[in-house]
Structure formats: C-alpha cells, structure tokens
Amino acid sequence: AVLPLIVLVVQKFAPIVRKASRMSRSADAHWITLAEERLGAVPVVHAFDAEKREARAFRRRVGQVRSMEIISNILQARQSALVETIVAVGGLGVLWLGTTLIGSGAMTVGALVAFIGTVSSLYAPVRSLAKSAGRFHNAAAGAQRVADLMDQTSLVRENLGSRILGMVRGSIEF
C-alpha cells in the first residue's frame, strides 16, 4: 500500500532534484574552469597585483558551488525523510491492522510477527531505490555535462582543399 506513495514522492521530487543536480554540476564545472585558468595565470596575476581580486572571485565561485550542493543535498534529504515517514506510517498501519485482527481472533501473534518480518525485509530495497533516484539524477547531470562538452564544435577548422601531410623531416626554429 505504501509503494504507490513512495513512487509518487520520488516522481514529485525528480524534476526538482534533477534541476538542482544540473545547476550544481554546472557551478562545479565553472569553478573548475576558473581554478584552471587562474592557476595557469599566476605570473600574470602577480604582475598586475590582482591576488586579492582573484581570491574574491574564487571565494565567490566556491560559495556558489557550495550553495548549489547544499540545495541539492537538502532536496534529497527531504525526499528521503518523506520516504522514511511513509515507510514508518505504513509499518504502524500494518501493526495496527495486525493487532486488530489478533483481537478479533482472525490472526495469531506468530502470523503477525512473520508478516511484519516479511514486510520489513521489503522496505530496505524500497528505501534503497528511493535513495538511488537522487544519486541517479546526480550522475545524469554529470553525464549531461560530459555530453554537452562532447557536442561542442572544435575551434580548429580544416580547409576542404588541404592535402594530407606525409612524413615530415626537419626542425622548427624560433
């Protein structure tokens, strides 16, 4: 009975978690790009006495990444808490129904214990599936980022009439 509710929660949170994951991965990529550019330009930064400005820009970018990660984690935690609440309410419902059936003589205590054990063993995979949805969206956002990079056109263009370069001999002088 709780499975449809869990599926509904996961479906409701899916687009929100997916968007947050994409934004987080994008901010992460921008941070890495900034770090790579600035570390490669340390002599230039020193030459123009721009260390403080670069440090501020770096802190700002890292703060954006941290904020996006926090938002993504909060959303996944809310989804997980909602799933755990549904599971707990479902367990309480089974316990209530079982005690009612025991009271009317329609079920034995042993049957209730066996049923609760069986249901409990089913909850672990359901919880795992619900939690893996968030991990899947994180992975999908990363894969989308890789796909976006792969789809970019190269800045190097070949001329249509160019000929293939064979074995080259010689040296380069500067």
Side-chain angles (χ1 to χ4, degrees), residues 111-167:
L112 177 62
V113 170
F115 185 74
I116 288 175
T118 303
V119 169
S120 296
S121 69
L122 293 175
Y123 279 146
V126 169
R127 282 185 188 122
S128 178
L129 284 173
K131 288 178 183 178
S132 67
R135 289 190 297 264
F136 171 76
H137 291 303
N138 279 337
Q144 181 63 45
R145 188 81 184 124
V146 170
D148 290 345
L149 289 172
M150 298 291 285
D151 288 342
Q152 287 184 352
T153 56
S154 174
L155 298 175
V156 178
R157 302 271 186 226
E158 279 195 43
N159 292 333
L160 292 175
S162 62
R163 55 189 178 103
I164 297 175
L165 187 61
M167 182 59 96

Side-chain angles (χ1 to χ4, degrees), residues 25-68:
R25 290 295 134 304
S26 178
D28 204 22
H30 289 299
W31 171 80
I32 290 170
T33 300
L34 178 74
E36 186 177 327
E37 287 174 356
R38 295 320 192 263
L39 288 174
V42 167
V44 175
V45 170
H46 285 301
F48 287 98
D49 195 31
E51 292 92 349
K52 289 180 183 176
R53 183 176 56 86
E54 292 301 327
R56 278 193 308 271
F58 194 75
R59 276 193 301 275
R60 186 176 61 247
R61 189 59 57 99
V62 169
Q64 290 171 346
V65 171
R66 183 177 54 240
S67 296
M68 300 276 57

